[in-house]
Each structure stands twice: as C-alpha cells, then as structure tokens.
Amino acid sequence: MQIGDTFRYQCAGENSDEEWSKLVPDWGHSLRVDFDGDYTGPYSVAMFHQLGCLDVIRQDYNTQDGPSALSLHCLNYLRQSILCLADTRVEPVTSWKGPGIVNVFSDYVCRDWEAVYSIA
C-alpha cells in the first residue's frame, strides 16, 4: 500500500460520516468466538476497535465540546496499540519544522485487511 494523503476519510465533509462508518462492520467490532463448540465472548477485533476509535476522535474533533471520555479512552488505546506494534520502518525527513517533516509517501507491505473483514 502506498501511504499518503487522500481526499477520502476527511474529518468533516459531504461523505465523511458515510466513509468512516463503512470501516467498521455493521455489527460493530464485537463478536462471539467458537472455541471447540463453546461460544464465548464478546470479543473485539482490534483492527475494528482501532478504526472505530479513530472515528470517535474525528467526531469529537468537529465539536466545540472538547474530548469526550470515550475519545480520551481511544487516544490512550491507540497510543498503546502503536507502541505495542513498534513500527521501526525508517522514514526520510524532508524538513526540520512545519508540516511535512517526514515523507510518508512510500510503500508499505501490509497484512490483508480484507481477509480480516471476511473472517470476522
């Protein structure tokens, strides 16, 4: 996948709510798991939880009320998820200040997120 800015998934705009809502399945991010015939749960698929959290933060960003308790939970959860995954890919620095400090317009080798949707 090529990482870079996109015109889709904006914070606000005509299609932003619809685009963001389609990232998490209609049933949300909780599911029950079959362990040898015993259904247990609910469980959450981390990828859907993370995408849902990004949407919560996006929605709070567009209000004057400040961050909600859920948004603060999401910031902490995403911070911890990022630390846990510890992506060590080297990104070239293009400037020492201002926006565009790091050039993220390069290729990533990603896991197949469509398989996650399919399996879940």
Side-chain angles (χ1 to χ4, degrees), residues 49-50 52-58 60-61 66-83:
H49 187 181
Q50 293 159 357
C53 270
L54 284 175
D55 193 26
V56 166
I57 294 167
R58 176 192 70 88
D60 273 6
Y61 185 81
S68 65
L70 180 56
S71 186
L72 294 174
H73 151 79
C74 285
L75 279 172
N76 241 345
Y77 174 66
L78 291 172
R79 176 186 58 81
Q80 292 168 3
S81 297
I82 290 166
L83 287 172

Side-chain angles (χ1 to χ4, degrees), residues 25-76:
D26 291 338
W27 45 264
H29 61 81
S30 296
L31 53 92
R32 293 176 58 189
V33 178
D34 179 359
F35 290 113
D36 298 324
D38 288 328
Y39 285 97
T40 60
Y43 291 94
S44 178
V45 177
M47 182 180 84
F48 299 143
H49 187 181
Q50 293 159 357
L51 289 169
C53 270
L54 284 175
D55 193 26
V56 166
I57 294 167
R58 176 192 70 88
Q59 290 175 41
D60 273 6
Y61 185 81
N62 291 322
T63 69
Q64 299 294 326
D65 300 332
S68 65
L70 180 56
S71 186
L72 294 174
H73 151 79
C74 285
L75 279 172
N76 241 345

Side-chain angles (χ1 to χ4, degrees), residues 77-93:
Y77 174 66
L78 291 172
R79 176 186 58 81
Q80 292 168 3
S81 297
I82 290 166
L83 287 172
C84 181
L85 295 173
D87 183 356
T88 58
R89 186 175 150 276
V90 177
E91 300 173 327
V93 173

